Structure formats: C-alpha cells, structure tokens
Amino acid sequence: MKASLLTKIGIVLVLYACSSTPRNTELWTERNIFPDGDDWAIENNFEYSTFVEVLSKFKEEKGYIIYDIKDEAIGLYYVDFIHYNRIFLRNNARLQLLTLIDKYLQWEEQAKKNMDTLEKNIGNVETYCYWNIKNGEMYKSHKANLNVSFLSQNKNRHQLVLVFPTYNSMSNQFITHKPETLYLEKNSAINLKNLLSDKSVKESISKIIKNQESKKEKYN
C-alpha cells in the first residue's frame, strides 16, 4: 500500500529534528559516508511522477532536499511503494547532476523545435542510498551510479528521468534495493536545478542554521 501523507510527514519531521549525536568525523569515506547528528535538515521540495504499471499511468508525487549545513553534500528524499529513500551525492556529484540537467534542457528545446522524439541516456552520477521500510531496519549502500536520461512521451512532452541503480547493502551482501524511477516534467527539472544551485544551497543552509540557532536561544 502506498505510504500515507501522514507517514511521509512523520518521516520528514524525524529527519528535520535536531539530534545530539555527534557528526561522523570522516563523512565521505567508503565505510562511513552517511549523516548523523544535527548537521543535516530538510528544506524545500520538488515534484516528480512515478509510473504505475497496474494503472498504466503516471502518479504525481513530491520529494524533498536534504541539506548538509557544512556544505559537503546533498540528498534527495522520497517515498516509493514501501521504501523511504535518501539518495546522497557528494558536492562534486551535485555539480555533475546540474550539468546533466542543463543538457536535458538543451535537448528539450531542440526536440520541441524540431518536433522530434528521443529516448537517450544523458549521463551518470555517483550516489549512495540510505533506505528502510516503515519501522524497519536502515540500510546503507555502497556507491552506485544514478542514470540521468531523456524521454519523449510525445513531440511536445519530454521528461527528465532519474533511473536509480540496484544498491547493495554495506552490512549484508544479499540485501539489495532499487528505488523507483523518477520522471520530471520540464518545470520540475528547472525547479530541481534551481534547488541544487550554489546560490540556493547556500541560502537554504543559512536559513537552516538561523532556525536552529533561534530554537536554541529560546532555552538559554
């Protein structure tokens, strides 16, 4: 059954809540790459669709951006059929993803102008996944490449497609997870690009830090 809106909101609030747990000292190592402590928070959202094969149609959903207030990485958070997914990118991968979104926008403009249809891979981005099912164990993955693709539904509708790999758990080689594919319309792709930009990231981090400091001051 699809996760309810209240469940999604609950997970978002848990992720947003501050923690007294200290941050990993070496965040981006192969064996210690996932966040803890209060250096991470959710701010902003983006729209996407998933394809429901049983109904043979797209279903609109909403994902969120997870920010590292030390500006070392960024994450995409969304709920698929039964899983809660957190897709983390190092800062250089964020910049690479921005380049691929720009390429999609160039192709979209050209395809509309020429009345073409196209299904083509744009490029890959290195990611990590942190996932679980409701009330279930959390799993951390080894790195794996996210595939960014261009897909024409018709001559006037061209989507940015995020095809996630099958992630392998660090703790158990027999546990794997493949998050659902995300389909973004042009406006959503532009919104995601803006959210991942240097300017937006810095502004969001500044807002998060200000809110955290304001909460602490209330209890001094």
Side-chain angles (χ1 to χ4, degrees):
M1 180 178 294
K2 196 72 177 179
S4 67
L5 177 60
L6 289 177
T7 299
K8 294 182 182 180
I9 293 174
I11 292 296
V12 170
L13 291 176
V14 169
L15 277 168
Y16 190 84
C18 292
S19 167
S20 59
T21 307
R23 178 194 180 89
N24 292 329
T25 53
E26 293 186 29
L27 182 64
W28 295 118
T29 63
E30 176 67 16
R31 299 186 62 82
N32 193 12
I33 58 174
F34 296 93
D36 55 18
D38 59 0
D39 288 333
W40 293 77
I42 282 182
E43 185 77 25
N44 301 316
N45 61 71
F46 64 97
E47 295 180 345
Y48 66 90
S49 296
T50 56
F51 186 72
V52 184
E53 293 187 7
V54 177
L55 302 176
S56 295
K57 68 177 185 179
F58 286 97
K59 180 177 175 58
E60 294 183 358
E61 301 284 359
K62 186 175 291 185
Y64 300 85
I65 306 296
I66 309 174
Y67 293 92
D68 171 12
I69 66 172
K70 294 191 175 180
D71 199 14
E72 296 176 0
I74 203 162
L76 306 179
Y77 166 77
Y78 73 100
V79 180
D80 62 25
F81 186 61
I82 60 172
H83 294 94
Y84 304 110
N85 304 288
R86 303 152 191 83
I87 310 297
F88 292 107
L89 302 89
R90 302 183 188 190
N91 195 52
N92 61 341
R94 173 184 67 88
L95 297 175
Q96 185 179 359
L97 179 55
L98 283 172
T99 299
L100 298 181
I101 295 176
D102 276 335
K103 177 66 71 173
Y104 155 79
L105 293 172
Q106 293 171 17
W107 289 4
E108 194 274 343
E109 183 178 354
Q110 185 175 344
K112 272 192 173 181
K113 180 179 179 180
N114 298 329
M115 298 297 288
D116 291 332
T117 58
L118 181 68
E119 183 174 354
K120 186 175 181 179
N121 174 46
I122 304 175
N124 299 308
V125 178
E126 187 177 279
T127 60
Y128 299 84
C129 185
Y130 194 23
W131 80 91
N132 69 296
I133 61 174
K134 183 179 179 181
N135 299 322
E137 184 176 351
M138 304 287 292
Y139 293 101
K140 303 175 182 180
S141 79
H142 293 285
K143 61 185 176 183
N145 285 335
L146 158 67
N147 174 258
V148 181
S149 297
F150 186 100
L151 176 64
S152 299
Q153 294 295 335
N154 54 51
K155 293 181 179 180
N156 294 304
R157 184 187 179 194
H158 311 281
Q159 295 173 312
L160 175 72
V161 186
L162 305 182
V163 184
F164 297 99
T166 298
Y167 292 100
N168 294 293
S169 169
M170 285 184 172
S171 59
N172 187 328
Q173 62 178 325
F174 299 107
I175 295 176
T176 62
H177 173 53
K178 182 174 175 57
E180 285 187 0
T181 297
L182 307 187
Y183 298 83
L184 282 72
E185 304 296 337
K186 179 181 179 180
N187 288 341
S188 296
I190 292 173
N191 180 45
L192 181 60
K193 173 189 172 182
N194 291 336
L195 292 178
L196 296 177
S197 69
D198 290 349
K199 181 176 183 293
S200 177
V201 170
K202 291 184 184 301
E203 288 178 349
S204 297
I205 290 174
S206 177
K207 180 180 178 180
I208 290 167
I209 293 174
K210 184 177 180 180
N211 288 339
Q212 290 180 349
E213 291 176 346
S214 177
K215 289 179 181 179
K216 291 178 182 178
E217 289 176 357
K218 292 179 180 179
Y219 299 96
N220 284 338

